């Protein structure tokens, strides 16, 4: 993976990072790297995620999904980190097994998916570390009921990915379901390279060893200097731009297959760094589509953001046919890939011309190896940024508040957070 931070320097962008400040930042990166390595060596919570290329057992994952080799569909029932990593791999890689991610509880949407798939040819993966996640367990109960109604034995079509204890672990033991363990020291949003993210990829027939190999290559690039480590360079430059006023980070891949990656990144970046009044706000965009919907604001609006471009340098291409239409003849003989690259470079240059900082991330191709490299690098970048912000990257107390409020409203206990709902101020206009 390659990261180009040239358009984030002060001589190009406002806000931008002076080159002498970049050298000072590099000293802080070295200190942060030492702390990260200490956390990894001691298998500390969170830091352990960066050890996954060497600790994940891909044979175990393949064995767990082998009983479902006849599946034409996959229903992955999970939310947040229990879904977005696996969904990123599914979206980025082609497969004959169609995967659906039940990561929301919209009743019409869930019902439409259950009507669309042949449940007798569907594998179900229920993912929750605690085994108590309300959205996940509710969707699973709905799926199980639909299988019963269709005359399908859900116990023969289901495996669980969960912790050592909890409702799902009890369910797996009661019905002798195949199961995978969620690693203890790995937060959900950092779990794509574990059982949580790789099981769905294995069921879809993807080379999960190549995913891990790509991640291992990115791991090998974690060095004490941002000048030698693409992942650390990205995390450090995003932090440096934020403290200088770029409080929004637009993640804009120029590959349709990476659109879900931007969703995964948004959770990783926001939930890890948004603490103590700090952190950048991630925004999802897609090139070239959002050149026609968001670029006006980025180029001509307030200079309070950075844009992160992501692309693959090798891809399959489609020729553009010759045409005699006036004004379009220049397109003939070119290709859609050539047009997309031109759009990418033109947009990047247009932002630089408007003094807006931007960073370019490139991988060779959107394949198993490239995705493993990209996903691991963004995790390492997030951990680096967390060290520079001096926040606890691996907790999410604000999320827990909302969970308690919702559980209280549903009668799942007496939580003072639920009382705040009744105290809502209203001013309704009809």
């Amino acid at each position: 993976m390659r990261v180009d931070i040239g358009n984030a320097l002060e001589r190009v962008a406002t806000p931008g990072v002076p080159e002498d400040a970049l050298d000072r930042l590099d000293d802080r990166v070295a200190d942060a790297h030492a702390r990260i390595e200490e956390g990894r060596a001691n298998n500390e919570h969170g830091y352990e995620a960066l050890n996954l290329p060497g600790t994940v057992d891909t044979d175990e994952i393949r064995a767990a999904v082998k009983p479902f080799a006849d599946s034409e569909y996959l229903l992955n029932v999970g939310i947040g980190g229990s879904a977005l990593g696996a969904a990123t791999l599914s979206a980025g890689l082609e497969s004959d097994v169609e995967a659906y991610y039940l990561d929301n509880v919209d009743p019409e949407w869930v019902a439409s998916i259950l009507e669309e798939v042949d449940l007798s040819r569907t594998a179900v993966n229920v993912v929750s570390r605690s085994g108590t996640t309300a959205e996940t367990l509710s969707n699973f109960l709905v799926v199980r009921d639909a299988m019963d109604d269709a005359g399908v034995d859900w116990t023969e079509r289901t495996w669980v990915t969960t912790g050592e204890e909890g409702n799902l672990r009890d369910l797996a033991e009661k019905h002798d379901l195949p199961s995978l363990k969620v690693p203890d020291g790995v937060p959900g949003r950092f779990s794509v390279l574990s059982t949580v993210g790789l099981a769905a990829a294995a069921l879809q027939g993807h080379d999960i060893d190549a995913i891990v190999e790509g991640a291992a290559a990115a791991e090998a690039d974690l060095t004490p200097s941002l000048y030698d480590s693409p992942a650390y360079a990205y995390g450090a430059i995003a932090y440096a731009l934020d403290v200088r006023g770029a409080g929004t980070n637009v993640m804009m891949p120029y590959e349709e297959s990476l659109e879900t990656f931007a969703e995964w990144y948004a959770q990783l970046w926001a939930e890890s760094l948004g603490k103590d009044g700090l952190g950048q706000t991630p925004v999802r965009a897609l090139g070239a589509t959002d050149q026609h919907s968001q670029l006006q604001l980025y180029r001509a609006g307030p200079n309070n953001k950075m844009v992160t471009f992501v692309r693959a340098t090798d891809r399959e291409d489609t020729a553009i046919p010759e045409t005699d239409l006036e004004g379009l003849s220049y397109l003939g003989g070119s290709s859609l890939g050539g047009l997309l690259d031109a759009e990418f470079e033109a947009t990047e240059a247009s932002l630089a011309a408007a003094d807006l900082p931007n960073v370019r991330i490139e991988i060779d191709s959107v394949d198993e190896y490239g995705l493993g490299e990209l996903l691991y690098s963004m995790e390492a970048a997030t951990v680096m940024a967390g060290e520079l912000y001096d926040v606890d990257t691996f907790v999410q107390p604000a999320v827990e508040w909302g969970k308690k409020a919702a559980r209280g409203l549903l009668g799942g206990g007496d939580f003072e957070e639920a009382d705040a709902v009744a105290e809502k101020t209203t001013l309704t206009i009809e």
Side-chain angles (χ1 to χ4, degrees):
M1 191 182 84
R2 300 163 296 280
V3 174
D4 181 356
I5 63 173
N7 280 349
L9 299 178
E10 186 180 52
R11 55 191 168 91
V12 177
T14 305
V17 181
E19 291 177 58
D20 59 343
L22 200 61
D23 292 334
R24 293 192 299 273
L25 180 63
D26 195 43
D27 294 334
R28 295 188 61 196
V29 167
D31 292 339
H33 172 70
R35 173 66 188 101
I36 292 168
E37 290 302 292
E38 178 187 16
R40 294 179 63 192
N42 294 327
N43 290 318
E44 294 181 34
H45 178 75
Y47 297 99
E48 193 173 340
L50 297 182
N51 293 336
L52 282 171
T55 60
V56 66
D57 187 342
T58 55
D59 289 335
E60 177 192 26
I61 293 170
R62 279 188 289 267
V65 305
K66 187 176 180 180
F68 313 100
D70 65 337
S71 300
E72 297 178 5
Y73 304 95
L74 167 66
L75 294 181
N76 193 98
V77 186
I79 194 168
S82 296
L84 284 171
T88 296
L89 294 172
S90 290
L93 304 168
E94 295 184 0
S95 173
D96 293 332
V97 179
E98 192 163 1
Y100 295 87
Y101 288 84
L102 299 186
D103 61 350
N104 204 342
V105 288
D106 182 319
E108 292 186 1
W109 176 71
V110 172
S112 69
I113 290 175
L114 293 176
E115 290 174 2
E116 185 172 337
V117 303
D118 179 353
L119 293 173
S120 68
R121 307 289 288 179
T122 297
V124 179
N125 180 22
V126 191
V127 190
S128 170
R129 178 196 302 276
S130 67
T132 61
T133 308
E135 299 90 344
T136 299
L137 272 294
S138 296
N139 274 337
F140 173 57
L141 293 174
V142 170
V143 170
R144 192 172 73 173
D145 190 56
M147 285 186 152
D148 285 339
D149 290 344
V152 177
D153 185 346
W154 66 270
T155 66
E156 295 183 355
R157 308 300 310 175
T158 301
W159 87 89
V160 301
T161 306
T162 190
E164 291 183 347
E165 300 177 349
N167 292 330
L168 284 181
R169 180 58 60 190
D170 294 342
L171 185 76
E173 292 175 356
K174 178 180 179 180
H175 295 282
D176 195 25
L177 304 177
S179 65
L180 289 166
K181 183 179 177 296
V182 177
D184 291 330
V186 179
R189 58 190 176 278
F190 287 89
S191 65
V192 61
L193 297 168
S194 75
T195 53
V196 175
L198 295 181
L203 181 79
Q204 288 190 285
H206 302 310
D207 186 348
I208 60 175
D209 288 320
I211 295 171
V212 175
E213 288 169 9
E219 179 186 22
D221 284 338
L222 299 185
T223 66
S225 174
L226 68 85
Y227 295 111
D228 297 321
S229 174
Y232 286 169
Y234 180 74
I237 202 69
Y239 159 79
L241 288 171
D242 181 24
V243 298
R244 287 168 171 79
T248 298
N249 189 340
V250 181
M251 175 56 69
M252 194 170 186
Y254 268 70
E255 310 288 339
E256 193 78 23
S257 59
L258 291 180
E259 185 172 14
T260 305
F261 158 77
E263 296 183 38
W264 170 84
Y265 169 84
Q267 183 199 9
L268 179 72
W269 201 250
E271 198 167 77
S272 299
L273 305 177
K275 287 138 193 175
D276 303 331
L278 302 171
Q280 278 182 323
T281 299
V283 172
R284 307 193 303 264
L286 179 66
T289 301
D290 286 315
Q291 292 172 205
H292 297 270
S293 64
Q294 299 179 27
L295 185 60
Q296 175 65 36
L297 172 66
Y298 301 157
R299 196 172 192 275
N303 266 30
N304 61 354
K305 60 188 69 65
M306 64 175 285
V307 176
T308 302
F309 295 107
V310 182
R311 73 168 173 182
T313 54
D314 297 324
R315 66 167 79 91
E316 294 183 5
D317 208 348
T318 300
I320 300 175
E322 300 284 352
T323 179
D324 57 1
L325 292 174
E326 185 177 354
L328 296 179
S329 59
Y330 72 95
L331 294 173
S334 184
S335 67
L336 292 182
L339 176 59
L340 189 63
D341 285 339
E343 299 266 18
F344 176 100
E345 292 169 11
T347 302
E348 182 183 57
S350 76
L351 294 179
D355 295 331
L356 190 77
N358 57 88
V359 174
R360 176 194 290 204
I361 297 175
E362 292 180 329
I363 58 175
D364 289 338
S365 59
V366 183
D367 57 12
E368 286 93 340
Y369 186 95
L371 284 171
E373 187 179 29
L374 178 63
L375 292 167
Y376 184 93
S377 294
M378 291 299 99
E379 290 182 352
T382 303
V383 176
M384 172 54 69
E387 297 296 326
L388 296 173
Y389 281 113
D390 194 23
V391 298
D392 189 339
T393 307
F394 307 114
V395 298
Q396 53 284 331
V399 178
E400 298 305 319
W401 194 100
K403 288 181 179 179
K404 291 177 181 178
R407 187 169 179 177
L409 290 174
L410 293 169
D414 185 16
F415 297 97
E416 64 180 21
E417 289 86 352
D419 297 336
V421 177
E423 299 168 2
K424 177 187 179 299
T425 300
T426 60
L427 178 59
T428 304
I429 313 300
E430 296 183 359

